[in-house]
Amino acid sequence: MTAGQTDVVTGAFSYSGSVIARQLLAAGHQVRTLTGHPGQAPAGTPVTAWPLDFTDPAGLEQAMRGARTLYNTYWVRFAHGQVDHAAAVANSATLFRAAAAAGVQRIVHVSITHPDPGSRYPYFRGKAAVEQLLDDTGVPHGIARPAVLFGGNDVLVNNIAWLLRRLPVFGIGDGGEYRLRPVHVEDLAALCVRLGAGTEPAVVDAVGPESLTFREMVAAIRTAVGSRTVLVPVPGRVLPVLSRALGLVLRDTLLTADEYAAMAGGLADSSAPAAGPTVFTDWVTRHGPELGTRYASELGRHFRAGGRP
């Protein structure tokens, strides 16, 4: 990479995008962001904010003109309001066309492990469709495929810790023996920056060095936060119902039926080499005292502040 070059990151004030932007700034790059909340840029940020407005392709093109690389973290976790996975695919097509028209030389896209156009899950079908759209642009690109992210201001691990600090029992769907390869968000960002510096097509499973079952992951979090919560196996079909009921109390979406089924079906696992060095159980042991002290609302973070992801 060339110091002083300009890159664009979608969601540079959000989760993984903010870490990518920080690493690019540390390398001496100028960073622009496309964000659904341009008016909420942190005070004093060196990142220039442009609207992520998919109804204005010309504006997207203008925002990316002169940039070398687009780092795309845009997606929706689940359907909400008028935004679903089909809409996210269409929006991604608009973004990629604008990037190509702007002369962007490389696109780095954050996808998911096991994208599949024939998947029963709209999330995984949509991610496969977006990867195909990226191929169709003709712009050189790299794809990072994470499964479970942790670290920073993540939602999943933080909220498991939050629940373990407060509930007497914690339900584990079907015993929790399905495996995961969680990756630290800093390791994902470093992989994305490496992919951005490359010139050849690349598709990499962004997974950490540790393979553990979901039950082992929850047990590690429980130990780290000093919880005495009892981990109780529950039928898989019951877990989304319990999550939905708890979500009504918290005014949030904790876990969808598709998310549980995909995880239980092994789609958060991978046999690929580790893409980063951070071991989940080591990290959670070090950070236990700060995990789950506050609840992280998915809807509050991505939808309620402006009504768009």
Side-chain angles (χ1 to χ4, degrees):
M1 293 187 298
T2 304
Q5 77 180 39
T6 297
D7 298 316
V8 176
V9 181
T10 62
F13 306 138
S14 189
Y15 181 41
S16 58
S18 69
V19 184
I20 294 170
R22 186 170 68 248
Q23 292 192 12
L24 291 170
L25 289 168
H29 293 210
Q30 298 179 37
V31 178
R32 304 173 193 162
T33 188
L34 290 163
T35 172
H37 315 297
Q40 297 180 13
T45 179
V47 177
T48 304
W50 293 70
L52 184 60
D53 184 353
F54 299 109
T55 67
D56 182 16
L60 294 174
E61 179 183 339
Q62 182 182 3
M64 289 186 279
R65 193 163 296 282
R68 178 191 181 273
T69 306
L70 166 65
Y71 293 86
N72 179 45
T73 69
Y74 166 76
W75 190 241
V76 293
R77 186 182 136 196
F78 46 77
H80 182 77
Q82 296 182 343
V83 180
D84 59 12
H85 294 109
V89 172
N91 290 341
S92 299
T94 298
L95 178 66
F96 293 157
R97 286 194 297 267
V104 166
Q105 299 172 47
R106 188 163 179 84
I107 298 174
V108 176
H109 172 63
V110 178
S111 186
I112 191 71
T113 50
H114 308 292
D116 180 1
S119 174
R120 58 181 285 198
Y121 308 116
Y123 191 109
F124 291 82
R125 289 200 308 273
K127 283 290 193 179
V130 173
E131 289 193 13
Q132 184 59 57
L133 288 170
L134 185 54
D135 283 342
D136 293 344
T137 66
V139 177
H141 58 271
I143 297 173
R145 291 175 170 173
V148 175
L149 288 171
F150 66 94
N153 62 337
D154 85 275
V155 170
L156 176 64
V157 173
N158 177 83
N159 287 352
I160 290 175
W162 188 87
L163 292 170
L164 289 170
R165 288 182 182 275
R166 289 159 178 82
L167 298 180
V169 296
F170 186 97
I172 304 285
D174 293 323
E177 293 305 309
Y178 29 91
R179 305 193 77 83
L180 308 92
R181 292 282 302 277
V183 62
H184 195 279
V185 67
E186 293 280 356
D187 292 345
L188 170 66
L191 170 63
C192 288
V193 172
R194 291 196 300 272
L195 290 173
T199 57
E200 297 298 319
V203 179
V204 181
D205 277 5
V207 293
E210 186 173 36
S211 172
L212 68 168
T213 67
F214 181 73
R215 184 181 181 87
E216 289 170 340
M217 184 178 82
V218 174
I221 299 169
R222 180 182 62 174
T223 299
V225 303
S227 168
R228 296 183 179 180
T229 299
V230 178
L231 306 185
V232 178
V234 299
R237 67 182 182 277
V238 173
L239 188 64
V241 177
L242 297 175
S243 297
R244 187 160 56 249
L246 188 54
L248 290 173
V249 176
L250 295 170
R251 299 183 62 242
D252 196 19
T253 299
L254 278 72
L255 181 75
T256 70
D258 278 1
E259 287 174 332
Y260 168 72
M263 180 172 60
L267 297 186
D269 194 15
S270 169
S271 61
T278 308
V279 176
F280 175 81
T281 49
D282 292 344
W283 177 88
V284 80
T285 299
R286 293 194 304 272
H287 292 271
E290 68 211 47
L291 287 176
T293 56
R294 294 184 178 182
Y295 181 77
S297 171
E298 182 78 20
L299 292 180
R301 183 177 293 184
H302 295 292
F303 289 94
R304 293 193 184 113
R308 35 180 315 191

